[in-house]
Amino acid sequence: RTLTGHGIACGVLMAPVIPFLGDSPQQLRATVRAVAAAGATSVTPLALHLRPGAREWFMAWLAEHHPHLVRRYESMYAGGAYAPKWYQRRITRLVHEYAAEAGIGPYAPGAHRRVPEPPASPTLAPEHTQLTLL
């Protein structure tokens, strides 16, 4: 909010979106609305990655706290560390739809990198350009 209040556009990386625990349409919409209310100009979702190390820890946590989801995660992440493309696309589509409702856009590559041209250097008066050696 402070940055956008000073004219600096800020996007939010909404990550991780956790399958079956934090990805319901109601949860995604509420998160996007909070992102917009905080002054962000864009939001980009990223589904949970389960790389080696994190995968074992997360699956142990899941087995303890949400054992009914273990098989779903094993199936969903059987192909590797990343959620399947269909899931990633679904989450992205929903978040972008909710972003449009909230009046913010998806991340636009390069948009945050636009820097205004610096003002021209002032020209020095002739008396300031002479070098005197002592």
Side-chain angles (χ1 to χ4, degrees):
R1 186 181 324 259
T2 299
L3 292 171
T4 54
H6 285 87
I8 300 170
C10 292
V12 169
L13 180 61
M14 192 170 113
V17 174
I18 302 175
F20 316 117
L21 293 173
D23 66 347
S24 73
Q26 298 82 5
Q27 290 168 310
L28 295 173
R29 178 179 272 133
T31 302
V32 170
R33 285 181 177 169
V35 164
T41 57
S42 67
V43 59
T44 302
L46 185 64
L48 177 69
H49 297 162
L50 289 177
R51 295 186 181 109
R55 182 186 196 107
E56 291 77 14
W57 179 90
F58 183 82
M59 292 303 287
W61 176 86
L62 195 67
E64 183 178 338
H65 296 282
H66 301 281
H68 62 285
L69 294 177
V70 170
R71 285 186 188 237
R72 292 177 84 179
Y73 270 82
E74 288 172 346
S75 174
M76 179 174 252
Y77 288 90
Y82 298 94
K85 292 289 182 194
W86 65 263
Y87 179 83
Q88 293 179 43
R89 282 191 215 95
R90 177 182 159 266
I91 296 302
T92 298
R93 180 181 46 78
L94 286 171
V95 167
H96 288 178
E97 178 183 316
Y98 301 146
E101 285 176 6
I104 63 174
Y107 166 73
H112 65 290
R113 292 185 178 97
R114 289 191 196 114
V115 178
E117 289 293 320
S121 299
T123 29
L124 296 175
E127 64 271 12
H128 294 279
T129 59
Q130 184 177 9
L131 177 64
T132 306
L133 297 175
L134 299 176

